[in-house]
Amino acid sequence: MSRATTSADTGGKSGGLARRGLLLVLSSPSGAGKTTLSRKLLEQDFGIAMSVSVTTRAPRPGEVDGRDYHFRDVAAFEKLGDDGALLEWARVHGNLYGTPAAAVMEQLATGRDVLFDIDWQGAQQLTGKAPADVVRVFILPPSAETLRHRLETRAQDKPDVVARRLAGAAAEIEHWAEYDYVLVNSDLDMCLENLRTILAAERLKRSRQTALAGLVEGLLKGL
Ligand code: 5GP
């Protein structure tokens, strides 16, 4: 696939200048469309890479180890935590989830931004570790009915799992005000467009454009 070079797709560069990578965190209750949004964003923007989490949850039909998650047992997960290999971790809906640190560092080193599909606990931990680099976006469903319908028709989870996720939805939504941006996913295309706009603007922030000082110095010398 050829690489488009729109301003939102310039990876580690902005207007041709080097910049600091950012950590784009997406949180939402299960069923608000976050996974679809992430997938579409990654398809359209080659300057951002997904952080693939480690989890003790069993794979859903169609999920692939290493692509959707690194599926591990509890002992292996705990070892990663003990070894300091996780940037953050949390218990969500009764399972353990965590972000492998090394992969994030590798992506940042190659000049790519990193996308995280993590819950509010993970967002808080990442913010504590890299406050200047984190951009937090919360996705809300347009209504309780929509969320319930999406969870029930996903048909991948058993009824008790759906019930646990609905109960967890309220706990997740309670943290909406801790985020820098909030998007209501009533229309997927519009939501994606807004997400891309956020990413484009955040990439252009002065503080992220590390080469600007040098450029300005040169400009002033030439005047
Ligand atoms: P699911 O089981 O539906 O894939 O994910 C359940 C929840 O766990 C989602 O809200 C998702 O954002 C969150 N999650 C997935 N990976 C991580 C992670 O590495 N860390 C944290 N804190 N939450 C995660």
Side-chain angles (χ1 to χ4, degrees), residues 28 30 34 53 57 60 69 88-90 92-93 97-99 117-119 121-122 154 165:
S28 76
S30 297
K34 187 179 37 171
S53 297
R57 158 166 90 58
R60 293 195 185 111
Y69 279 106
E88 60 75 36
W89 70 271
V92 189
H93 310 308
Y97 296 82
T99 300
D117 171 343
I118 58 178
D119 82 327
Q121 305 173 83
R154 186 149 70 175
R165 282 169 183 262

Side-chain angles (χ1 to χ4, degrees), residues 133-149:
D133 300 323
V134 171
V135 177
R136 295 158 301 186
V137 181
F138 198 89
I139 316 290
L140 283 172
S143 69
E145 270 58 53
T146 314
L147 189 68
R148 188 172 292 116
H149 182 72

Side-chain angles (χ1 to χ4, degrees), residues 37-52:
L37 270 175
S38 302
R39 188 171 44 74
K40 287 187 172 280
L41 180 67
L42 292 164
E43 278 169 14
Q44 294 180 9
D45 190 319
F46 296 91
I48 190 161
M50 190 80 205
S51 163
V52 179

Side-chain angles (χ1 to χ4, degrees), residues 94-197:
N95 294 302
L96 298 170
Y97 296 82
T99 300
V104 174
M105 299 315 167
E106 274 164 31
Q107 294 296 349
L108 288 175
T110 64
R112 297 175 95 190
D113 299 313
V114 184
L115 178 65
F116 299 83
D117 171 343
I118 58 178
D119 82 327
W120 65 271
Q121 305 173 83
Q124 282 190 355
Q125 291 174 51
L126 269 194
T127 305
K129 286 202 169 153
D133 300 323
V134 171
V135 177
R136 295 158 301 186
V137 181
F138 198 89
I139 316 290
L140 283 172
S143 69
E145 270 58 53
T146 314
L147 189 68
R148 188 172 292 116
H149 182 72
R150 282 188 193 154
L151 278 178
E152 285 170 356
T153 54
R154 186 149 70 175
Q156 287 174 323
D157 294 325
K158 298 196 182 100
D160 61 317
V161 175
V162 171
R164 197 177 328 151
R165 282 169 183 262
L166 271 172
E172 186 75 25
I173 289 174
E174 274 171 15
H175 291 272
W176 69 279
E178 294 163 21
Y179 287 72
D180 305 303
Y181 301 90
V182 178
L183 299 176
V184 180
N185 188 10
S186 37
D187 178 280
L188 187 70
D189 288 339
M190 171 125 23
C191 200
L192 178 64
E193 205 41 51
N194 286 333
L195 185 60
R196 285 170 57 90
T197 302

